[in-house]
Amino acid sequence: MKLGQLGEFGLIDRCTSREGPLPQDVICGIGDDCSVTRLPDGSYQLVTIDMMMEGVHFLRDATSARDLGYKLLAASLSDIAAMGGVPHSGYLSLALPGDLDVEWCDEFFAGFKGLASESGLALLGGNTTRSTGPIVLDCCVIGRVAQERVKFRSGARPGDLVCVAGELGASGGGLKLLLEGVAPRSLKEVK
């Protein structure tokens, strides 16, 4: 069987099916927006990780570096918010080709740090490496939530209020159009 046949969720099931019992402080592991662990004060720590790869999640020529930095962090922040939490700190790992303009990096960080500042998130570390291929971006965000305020997917019930930010599927639809060669419209045309 090939990985494409197995699929993302099949791979996750295959990787996690042989795990033993979780540590006692783990409330939720794989299967929700974030992992959830109990902190000594009784509150919960939330941890989420999101990765984006050039050619799969974005096109360098069609996405500004500033927008990409913002988008990467926004994906992780939305996971923290979905579980009722508040972001605390973040970690950023980058695999970047050596011929990438330094100005691109400056713009990427401007977008990332701008949203980090708005959300009260402190960037505490990460990793960088050279890529011989596409740009790969990986963001980990740690948040906190009071035990009585945590929201799990399994807690959803018919009749619950569901809130979303933006238009569902717009990001994926936009990437599909770009991959099909449809030229993006300028903001002036959209208005």
Side-chain angles (χ1 to χ4, degrees), residues 85-164:
V86 175
H88 173 272
S89 53
Y91 299 85
L92 180 61
S93 292
L94 309 170
L96 304 172
D99 63 351
L100 189 64
D101 290 333
V102 173
E103 291 78 16
W104 187 97
C105 298
D106 292 343
E107 285 296 306
F108 173 84
F109 283 114
F112 188 95
K113 288 181 178 181
L115 182 55
S117 178
E118 286 177 35
S119 63
L121 178 123
L123 180 60
L124 299 183
N127 194 14
T128 58
T129 190
R130 182 182 174 131
S131 171
T132 58
I135 294 172
V136 180
L137 312 165
D138 193 39
C139 179
C140 172
V141 172
I142 298 172
R144 289 185 73 146
V145 64
Q147 183 175 345
E148 64 275 5
R149 295 186 55 99
V150 70
K151 305 293 181 210
F152 296 100
R153 287 182 187 170
S154 61
R157 300 289 178 258
D160 282 354
L161 177 66
V162 177
C163 301
V164 297

Side-chain angles (χ1 to χ4, degrees), residues 2 17-19 24 26 40 54 102 107 116 121 125 150 152 157 167-168 172-173 181 187:
K2 301 293 182 191
S17 64
R18 297 177 187 96
E19 283 190 26
Q24 287 185 343
V26 175
E54 181 181 5
V102 173
E107 285 296 306
L121 178 123
V150 70
F152 296 100
R157 300 289 178 258
E167 295 181 37
L168 295 177
L187 290 177

